Amino acid sequence: MWNSNFLRVKFAYNIRKYFGKRALKSLQKHVRPPSHYNGYLKATRIAILYLIDNEDSVKASMLLEQEFTKDGKKVHKVGFTTQKNLPAHFTPKGGSECLCMSDLAWNLVPLPTRTGSFLEESYDIFVDVSNSDLIAIQYLALKFKAGLKAGPAALGNEKTYDLQVAYDTGQAIEDFTKHIIYYLKLINQ
């Protein structure tokens, strides 16, 4: 009995995942490359996407936010959790928003009613520190309007990110954030 219920749930999830990947492929065809990127020094608005469930991702978003605000940039953070609701210990602050599994459509794609406010705005730089292959994260990364998109180096991310930075799970998160900042400052000086 338990085994058959597990198989039904897994089958239903795989169907949702299949249609989510189809939605991603369709979106990738219609995404246009950024019109311009003025460089890090002229950038004023930066968006950071991170995974709330991953301690390294949260730490990376905090380190990047500190560095960007120190340089006089306005930072907007968007967190995502794989839980149905936001964790009780987590409360979004000022320039941050959060999405959870209940904010997704049946095909694991974020609902437009929940993402409209931050996806409608345009940013100079978008940084994804989630290091995740979740459909919702990939979809959000594609939908963000930014002059330059930076994210984790992985197979299939070529169409999503203009700048890909390698991150190994054994690597210190501080090194990863330093690499991101170094390359952002290096481009178009």
Side-chain angles (χ1 to χ4, degrees), residues 72-87:
K73 316 293 184 208
K74 183 178 177 189
V75 178
H76 188 99
K77 290 173 46 175
V78 177
F80 180 77
T81 181
T82 55
Q83 298 176 18
K84 186 167 183 153
N85 297 312
L86 286 177

Side-chain angles (χ1 to χ4, degrees), residues 48-59:
I48 301 173
L49 178 63
Y50 66 102
L51 193 62
I52 296 171
D53 304 334
N54 185 330
E55 185 179 337
D56 283 344
S57 181
V58 173
K59 190 173 181 182

